[in-house]
Amino acid sequence: MPDILPSQTPLWQHIEHEVTSLLHAYAYREIRFPLLEPTELFQRSIGEVTDIVEKEMYTFTDRNGDSLTLRPEGTAGCVRAVLQNGLLHTLPQRLWYLGPMFRHERPQMGRQRQFHQIGVESFGLPGPDIEAEHLLLLARLWRRLGIDHLVTLEINSLGSSAVRANYREALIGYLAARADQLDEDSRRRLGSNPLRILDTKDPGTRELLAGAPQLTDHLDEESREHMRGLRELLDAAGIAYRVNPALVRGLDYYGKTVYEWVTDSLGAQGTVCAGGRYDGLVEQLGGTPVPGVGFAMGLERLVLLLEVAGSQPGDRAQPHAYWVLGDAAAQRFAFVLAERLRDRLPWLRLQMHCGEGRMKAQMKKADRSGATLVLIVGEEELAAGQVSVRGLREGGPEQSRVGADALADYLAQQIVTR
Ligand code: ATP
Ligand code: MG
């Protein structure tokens, strides 16, 4: 569960800012729900025989003897929240959330035990137009973040639940006859969740799967039509994608559309964003049937991709100007003046020198702060009711005196705001 340090937070904030402003541009509204839920919620929604529920959840018993789990993903808690608060009486709903998720996995690059997702869930929309909207939004996001050349889209259809049940039998029939050629994990899944075998990474099993019956060949007409509709919208919008018949996703609630945005820039952790349709989930968790579609992106992997792309966003906490102060009277003068400046220029970032220190030592701190200007109040400045201003970077202004009343205008002119 890594700490995210001040040197890294500008990149995080940049991503969060770009994503949330884009979500608002598509009229998605934020929802916040707890980090803890009853364990049963995740067992019922994600599915008992999935990696997450079998091996990855942080589960404990609280003082009442209730079993609680740190959320391993957002969809289950989001559905619980919209159901419990009556949001599904007003459809459609377009929602987003952001926050930490917890999975007990082996930590490595792009895989942590506390990680962060930004997720979207839409309710009440049965057609493929909403999947297309999500994918267009995501394609735009990659362009905005400058990583569109590093990710590609893969889509698939899982069909109806009847189709999956039929296909399950066909797959078991094929694989059971060849069980001795399966890897150990897949052999275990054969009896519990055979569809999960399809995205195995074991080379031997993959080879075996090449000859297996294809889910695509078992699809029902409605799911085919849905996929056709989605592809027409994506084609019209010029969104490139690859149909990957082996794409199944690791959660039980998906049906019809599933997709992943993948990259080969992050080693084994290739999936940056994943989503799909879950029309049965709301009913399964106790509501009337309401179709749902959603996706989640992993922020850690996005941060890594932006680093690969050489992104260097500005630090929103770097001061524009640093105050260097003489004696206690100068300090009082500067504190009052700085507050007046903050009233006039709310965007202005000023760093006061706090703590003792000779002016020479303060100048060093000013330089190290990254500020572009230093504001000096010594004995002479104080007597004249002025401030000495000097640029700290190449091309900045020579030292000059500015009256206290003229300082706001001077700074507004010197500092190019974003
Ligand atoms: P993977 O196949 O990499 O384990 P997943 O299928 O378990 O991913 P989802 O549950 O669909 O992933 O979560 C969506 C996204 O969340 C992933 O694409 C990834 O970007 C991110 N994610 C999932 N688990 C982790 C983790 N342990 N650490 C960091 N990011 C993660
Ligand atoms: Mg996983």
Side-chain angles (χ1 to χ4, degrees), residues 156-160 163-164 167 214-225 227 256:
N156 192 24
S157 177
L158 299 180
S160 66
V163 162
R164 287 194 300 285
Y167 174 67
Q214 295 275 317
L215 180 60
T216 318
D217 300 329
H218 287 69
L219 280 189
D220 51 302
E221 189 44 41
E222 195 188 319
S223 298
R224 281 178 201 281
E225 190 52 44
M227 184 71 149
K256 286 187 180 155

Side-chain angles (χ1 to χ4, degrees), residues 56 103 105 111:
E56 297 174 358
R103 297 185 195 177
E105 302 198 71
R111 191 176 295 287

Side-chain angles (χ1 to χ4, degrees), residues 55-56 58 103-113 268-269 301:
K55 312 190 272 207
E56 297 174 358
Y58 281 93
R103 297 185 195 177
H104 194 278
E105 302 198 71
R106 195 167 66 78
Q108 52 198 292
M109 181 179 77
R111 191 176 295 287
Q112 289 81 20
R113 291 179 172 180
Q269 274 57 254
R301 293 182 197 179

